[in-house]
Amino acid sequence: MAELVLCTGLDPDEPDSVTLVVIVAEGVEGVEGDAADEDAVARLGLFGYEGDGCLYFVQTDGWAERRLDGELLTVDIVAYPAVLKGLEAAADLFLERSAADPEALRLLRVSAQVSPGTYAQAADITAVLTAPAGMPAEQVLAEARSGGYWPLILAPQPE
């Protein structure tokens, strides 16, 4: 099951900066429901372009939509149907639409309780980490901090 965490230490240039991270499981293809959602998001990295220790997902292909309601943070990861074709993912599995652009499909929704003060310090980007199913979030984050996992960086929703 996908997890949402706020953490520090992912940006080696700014180790105290707060980053919003979505952790998804890899290798769950050919399934429906939440696992299909995670699989599609895990494979978005195929469309990312390489940066300095990370992959960037172009905002014209998709983005992360974030909403804070009290202490409940909800993140939707969305992409256009053409991206799903490239991933060989069935677009008909993704019925929900983006709040920012009804042409884009919601691939995954994940929520977590967070401190509004900490969230206010978070960068605008959302990082996605893909790891083996069942790996604890703290272990995934530790591996990412040491360069073991490259995050996929998603821009905020277009304005």
Side-chain angles (χ1 to χ4, degrees), residues 58-65 78 80 98-102 104 155-159:
V58 185
Q59 191 182 41
T60 55
D61 288 343
W63 56 88
E65 298 177 357
V78 302
Y80 288 106
S98 160
D101 182 351
Q157 66 193 43
E159 296 192 19

Side-chain angles (χ1 to χ4, degrees), residues 85-110:
K85 286 181 187 175
L87 296 175
E88 298 179 3
D92 61 345
L93 292 177
F94 304 98
L95 304 176
E96 300 297 323
R97 300 292 175 153
S98 160
D101 182 351
E103 294 296 317
L105 303 172
R106 184 179 77 205
L107 305 182
L108 177 72
R109 172 172 282 170
V110 62

Side-chain angles (χ1 to χ4, degrees), residues 44-62:
L44 286 179
L46 297 171
F47 286 92
Y49 64 91
E50 191 174 325
D52 187 19
C54 64
L55 298 168
Y56 292 98
F57 194 65
V58 185
Q59 191 182 41
T60 55
D61 288 343

Side-chain angles (χ1 to χ4, degrees), residues 26-52:
E26 64 186 354
V28 289
E29 52 187 274
V31 291
E32 295 186 19
D34 292 341
D37 299 351
E38 282 190 69
D39 180 57
V41 172
R43 291 188 292 143
L44 286 179
L46 297 171
F47 286 92
Y49 64 91
E50 191 174 325
D52 187 19

Side-chain angles (χ1 to χ4, degrees), residues 4-6 18-22 63-69 72-78 99-100 110 118-127 154-157:
L4 178 63
V5 294
L6 286 169
V18 178
T19 305
L20 178 63
V21 180
V22 175
W63 56 88
E65 298 177 357
R66 300 166 18 171
R67 290 172 307 289
L68 183 64
D69 184 20
L72 182 65
L73 176 61
T74 301
V75 175
D76 290 343
I77 297 177
V78 302
V110 62
T118 303
Y119 176 68
Q121 299 171 30
D124 288 340
I125 58 96
T126 300
L154 301 175
Q157 66 193 43

